[in-house]
């Protein structure tokens, strides 16, 4: 079973493909990505959840990406 991470302060322009490629760097495994959207407008709300393949990948992602600035 994987570990789910909350990812916040995302730019509204981010999509699942860009997020997946960021979190899969350094041979980490991503099993699922859910970007949260506004139910009325369908626009992204700036946060989501990423399920990593295992807790070691999740720990590595937290250490390497905490404070990372994406798209300015």
């Amino acid at each position: 079973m994987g570990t789910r991470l909350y990812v916040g302060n995302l730019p509204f322009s981010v999509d699942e493909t860009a997020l997946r490629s960021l979190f899969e760097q350094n041979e980490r495994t991503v099993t699922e990505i859910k970007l949260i959207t506004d139910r009325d407008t369908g626009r992204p709300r700036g946060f989501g959840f990423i399920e990593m393949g295992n807790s070691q990948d999740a720990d590595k992602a937290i250490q390497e990406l905490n404070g990372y600035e994406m798209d300015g």
Side-chain angles (χ1 to χ4, degrees), residues 48-71:
F49 299 92
I50 298 180
E51 188 165 329
M52 304 299 292
N54 56 53
S55 61
Q56 291 85 7
D57 284 347
D59 290 339
K60 286 181 194 175
I62 291 169
Q63 289 174 355
E64 294 174 18
L65 298 175
N66 187 28
Y68 180 83
E69 190 171 316
M70 184 175 200
D71 293 339

Side-chain angles (χ1 to χ4, degrees), residues 4-52:
R4 186 167 288 191
L5 303 175
Y6 166 83
V7 182
N9 295 327
L10 294 172
F12 295 120
S13 61
V14 74
D15 61 4
E16 288 187 19
T17 305
L19 212 51
R20 181 177 294 275
S21 67
L22 177 65
F23 275 80
E24 285 183 338
Q25 291 176 355
N26 299 325
E27 299 180 11
R28 292 186 295 257
T29 303
V30 174
T31 57
E32 184 179 15
I33 295 178
K34 288 193 178 199
L35 290 175
I36 307 304
T37 57
D38 184 272
R39 102 178 83 152
D40 294 330
T41 64
R43 291 184 51 201
R45 296 194 57 204
F47 68 96
F49 299 92
I50 298 180
E51 188 165 329
M52 304 299 292

